[in-house]
Amino acid sequence: RRSRARDGVVAMGKKKKFAADRPWCFYCDREFEDEKILQNHQRAKHFKCLHPGCNRKLVTANGMAIHMLTVHKTTVAKVPNAIEGRDSVTDFAIEGMVGVPTAEEFNYETNTQIVRKTQKTGGEYEGMGAGPPPPPPPPP
């Protein structure tokens, strides 16, 4: 399995330059000819309902999780067929190349999210779209 560094270099074995304009799957690191093929791949491999007999293909991982919970009353812990560290159902809102985290938000060599500092408090928080922590309650 190869590891995609955001600078376009494969970290394992030979170094290979990725085509900067080619879409690629965040979940499994596979490249595609165009965005539509990538979206079809994500629906078939990563966002397909896991319930036997249900052939529903969703648009996002979160959509799949919501479908599984509301229709089949089961929870999904991880995105199917995803690289470990990129398998969170709720941390990312990815559809095709839209929502793919940048190198400032995600470490592609270790497959971990980067802890960011909030602008107002200087405190740390994690996660895509998590936003800064809520303000403290007012004094009594």
Side-chain angles (χ1 to χ4, degrees):
R1 184 164 63 183
R2 64 183 183 184
S3 174
R4 174 186 294 270
R6 292 302 285 164
D7 61 0
V9 178
V10 174
M12 300 174 92
K14 294 181 184 178
K15 291 188 176 184
K16 175 185 171 188
K17 293 287 183 182
F18 285 93
D21 58 343
R22 288 186 68 171
W24 57 278
C25 180
F26 171 78
Y27 297 103
C28 66
D29 221 14
R30 188 172 160 197
E31 286 188 20
F32 297 90
E33 291 297 318
D34 61 41
E35 182 92 9
K36 188 67 178 169
I37 296 171
L38 167 61
Q39 290 172 342
N40 289 337
H41 157 81
Q42 287 176 334
R43 289 183 181 114
K45 297 292 182 184
H46 305 297
F47 308 151
K48 185 178 177 184
C49 178
L50 303 171
H51 193 271
C54 182
N55 295 321
R56 183 98 190 244
K57 295 176 183 173
L58 292 302
V59 178
T60 64
N62 195 40
M64 177 193 59
I66 291 169
H67 165 79
M68 291 290 292
L69 186 61
T70 57
V71 176
H72 305 297
K73 308 298 186 240
T74 58
T75 58
V76 178
K78 296 183 175 188
V79 174
N81 306 309
I83 296 169
E84 189 174 335
R86 299 186 193 188
D87 53 3
S88 173
V89 173
T90 58
D91 285 352
F92 311 105
I94 296 173
E95 179 184 353
M97 290 298 294
V98 176
V100 173
T102 65
E104 289 80 32
E105 300 167 325
F106 192 84
N107 184 330
Y108 284 87
E109 291 181 14
T110 62
N111 289 322
T112 57
Q113 285 184 288
I114 296 172
V115 175
R116 300 173 292 178
K117 298 275 187 185
T118 63
Q119 291 180 355
K120 290 183 181 179
T121 65
E124 295 180 352
Y125 67 96
E126 272 189 79
M128 298 296 300

